[in-house]
Amino acid sequence: MDWKRDVRSLKGIGPKRASELHRLGIDTIQDLLSYYPRAYEDRSRVKAIASLVPDEPAAIRGVVRRVQEKRPRRGLSILMAYIDDGTGMISVSWFNQRYLSGKIKAGVKVFIAGKVGYAFGGHGQLAMKRVTAFEILDGQEGTESLCGIFPIYSVAGSLSQTFFHKIFRQIFAEDFSAEETLPPKICAKYKLMGRMDAVRAIHFPENLAHLKHARDSLAFEELYLIQCGLFLIRKHTHEEKKGIRHLPDHKLIRTLLSLLPFALTEDQATAWKEIKRDMERPIPMRRLVQGDVGSGKTVIAMLALVKTVENGLQGALMAPTEILAEQHYESFCRILEPLGIRITLLTGRWGREKRQTIYETIAAHDVDIVIGTHALIQDGVSFASLGLVVTDEQHRFGIAQRAKLAEKGKMIPDALIMTATPIPRTMTLTIYGDLDVSTIWHLPPGRKPIRTFLRPMSRRPLIYQYVRKQIESGRQAYVVCPLVEHSDGMDLMAAEEVYEELRANIMRGISCGLVHGRMKAAEKDRVMQAFYKGEIQLLVATTVIEIGVNVPNASVMVIEHAERFGLSQLHQLRGRIGRGSYDSCCILVSEMQTESARERLHLMVETTDGFKLAEADLRLRGPGQFFGSLQHGMPDLKVANVLQDMDILLKARKAAMETIHSHEGLDAVLPILMQRYQAHFLHILHS
Ligand code: ADP
Ligand code: MG
């Protein structure tokens, strides 16, 4: 059988199902084969009904004794069956699944897996809730999958569990000659199951060990391919290009170090040493510095920029917002202008003419350090001799952008990327596999810790009285809300509502501002500026302030509906305060209706360590959502799980490195990389 064959060539797939499959991204048999089960039921552990315990998943087998159908109201039909296995009886309900009514009849033998709970209005009787698998056992079908491990697919429309089981049986009944993805040597060395066997085992596992071996092999393959992609980027943008060899530190750097009002912390010193070493090598630097908000990354950037200036080159610093660019500009000027370093701010605010003049000074090397937003690079600004590009808070950009950055210019400038999003230690390799990473684990000493409190909605009047007192004593405050407008059906405090409420009542006489994502950039900027300058005392905002400004005078933050935010996001938000010499306090307002909200918010109260919170966030929300919120530009993982597969990742990374260095089997890997991850690695594969 040919893997690339259209699914319509299979029995049982007509135009309707073909279009339903197409919606799932499945057109060929190969696509279908990689539609992996979302879970497995271990049917070797069927339980006796008498032994079931509420809130636990369970599988049962028994005979239907009685069936009831109800129509409590229009559009709702309930089918209820009572199952008896000789030890006891339990009810199962299906909602609006009328096609089942002809099939589930008294006397029919069934298998059901789900979660055990209490029957609605059943006076403590148990029921099977949230049915994950259901099968009628009479008849030929199912008998072969009666024991052992049973795959469960995500179903849609007419594509039922039974459909998937049947279609895979049909496919595997034919003979296959599968293409292997991995070089045979790698397969042998890492004891991987052949691709074809692994795919078959994923759909028809013989037992748990067999399934694990298959899954691990496919996870390995997936991580291996991505790591190959990352290594290729690295090779392309890093090792094969001629970079700039900076000279060892000279007078300027030494003067700067002596001028700093503090000594570098141990983590900062290590990061600086690593950066220096990279800069002094002839291959381009591609280094990421990760450190929590306030960990002191700016001074590291400054040192690196001064180093490039000391070498007679120019440096660029890209900030994520205009305001941050301006803040960096001010602090850089204060420290570096006395040393004779020429600094320019390039902002979108200025007119064409002024920008044009600046372009000319940059091209003529009449300026040493240029600070701006990332438009700085995209505008086609041409530097006389660019030695280093620093990007601040670059976590919102994917690998593709990182690679693009390095492609500017003839000589490749060194690249330093700063991110304030702590990534759990175990994940840096998957996300930043193409970069070297320096980490600032600890904040500089003497920082006043931010105190965090958790309060119910009923305490809002008291909370805002406290906020008002703080403002009256000269501080500024943030109030963060999850949504802009009140949206139907959700009882959420929207930013606009809160703004109006506060202004009209408890904050009367205090100058308040509102900023949210739907405002025009210029207007947003104007409000943020006013807050920065102290003209606005209380800023009501949505998460747009996450990577906003540095306002040391702002020492209070209230987060409404705190349960609506992820841990990492709450941490980023909280990082807006505690930047000055004042006691800072963050108040999380929430009713905490769910267990997970309670856990998250208590963690926020307990710790301010961004790495700890990121790890917890990853654990609580799962890799999918965690990755999603980072907008990292990495391909989605289909099999591998970054939380659990660290050991596989390390092995796959090692194998990928072997392949890239030895070239052995690379010819076979490239087309597959192309086919699977084209969108992510296109730029390298094309060059
Ligand atoms: P971020 O990592 O968020 O960019 P910053 O670079 O803005 O952090 O630093 C936060 C504050 O810490 C700044 O006021 C800076 O002057 C101060 N700082 C940085 N390094 C040290 C240090 N080694 N000792 C004391 N204070 C420091
Ligand atoms: Mg910073």
Side-chain angles (χ1 to χ4, degrees), residues 209-255:
H210 185 228
L211 175 61
K212 180 167 167 28
H213 189 197
R215 198 213 73 98
D216 286 358
S217 299
L218 291 175
F220 184 102
E221 180 202 81
E222 186 170 41
L223 293 168
Y224 167 86
L225 285 172
I226 293 174
Q227 290 296 326
C228 278
L230 291 170
F231 277 124
L232 283 171
I233 291 187
R234 196 185 156 90
K235 202 167 155 154
H236 174 66
T237 57
H238 177 133
E239 288 160 17
E240 283 175 359
K241 289 281 165 83
K242 231 172 115 138
I244 294 155
R245 185 199 283 270
H246 288 82
L247 297 175
D249 292 354
H250 206 61
K251 232 169 86 195
L252 207 49
I253 287 283
R254 284 191 224 130
T255 316

Side-chain angles (χ1 to χ4, degrees), residues 26 110 156 189 278 393 448 504:
I26 300 170
V110 293
K189 179 167 174 188
D278 286 357
E393 321 263 359
K448 288 223 170 132

Side-chain angles (χ1 to χ4, degrees), residues 280-434:
E280 289 168 13
R281 289 197 309 189
I283 49 177
M285 167 167 76
R286 316 244 316 125
R287 184 168 288 277
L288 175 97
V289 175
Q290 65 167 343
D292 218 335
V293 183
S295 61
K297 296 182 295 294
T298 315
V299 65
I300 300 294
M302 190 185 280
L303 282 163
L305 286 163
V306 168
K307 188 174 177 73
T308 213
V309 172
E310 186 175 71
N311 278 264
L313 302 165
Q314 292 167 298
L317 173 60
M318 303 198 289
T321 63
E322 297 276 355
I323 294 187
L324 269 181
E326 280 163 31
Q327 287 187 349
H328 280 315
Y329 175 70
E330 280 167 26
S331 69
F332 273 54
C333 284
R334 210 169 43 237
I335 301 176
L336 300 183
E337 270 182 352
L339 300 180
I341 296 175
R342 299 160 300 176
I343 308 172
T344 289
L345 176 67
L346 185 60
T347 146
R349 280 200 244 278
W350 290 337
R352 256 178 90 107
E353 216 167 298
K354 180 148 187 193
R355 277 216 302 267
Q356 201 53 47
T357 325
I358 293 176
Y359 290 164
E360 281 161 26
T361 54
I362 295 172
H365 204 155
D366 287 337
V367 57
D368 301 310
I369 296 176
V370 186
I371 299 176
T373 60
H374 65 276
L376 184 61
I377 283 294
Q378 288 167 352
D379 269 1
V381 184
S382 116
F383 285 81
S385 53
L386 188 58
L388 171 73
V389 179
V390 180
T391 26
D392 190 10
E393 321 263 359
Q394 187 68 330
H395 63 279
R396 272 139 219 279
F397 299 84
I399 351 176
Q401 282 95 333
R402 295 210 290 267
K404 206 154 122 203
L405 212 159
E407 275 158 19
K408 285 246 154 203
K410 292 154 261 148
M411 286 284 265
I412 303 299
D414 283 335
L416 188 62
I417 296 149
M418 323 279 256
T419 174
T421 307
I423 304 283
R425 214 186 276 254
T426 51
M427 282 171 60
T428 26
L429 286 182
T430 351
I431 299 194
Y432 300 126
D434 58 327

Side-chain angles (χ1 to χ4, degrees), residues 155-194:
V155 297
S158 73
L159 308 172
S160 61
Q161 292 298 340
T162 319
F163 163 78
F164 283 112
H165 294 154
K166 271 191 186 154
I167 214 79
F168 285 121
R169 222 169 287 148
Q170 187 190 141
I171 294 175
F172 284 103
E174 291 192 38
D175 250 351
F176 269 106
S177 53
E179 301 163 30
E180 284 298 333
T181 314
L182 302 177
K185 232 176 145 176
I186 300 272
C187 258
K189 179 167 174 188
Y190 294 93
K191 301 198 174 58
L192 304 174
M193 204 184 261

Side-chain angles (χ1 to χ4, degrees), residues 565-593:
F565 301 93
L567 262 180
S568 295
Q569 202 171 23
L570 285 170
H571 178 66
Q572 288 293 324
L573 288 167
R574 184 170 60 181
R576 294 296 107 206
I577 57 171
R579 306 183 141 240
S581 50
Y582 309 103
D583 279 332
S584 296
C585 122
C586 174
I587 303 159
L588 308 171
V589 183
S590 175
E591 295 300 314
M592 299 192 294
Q593 275 130 341

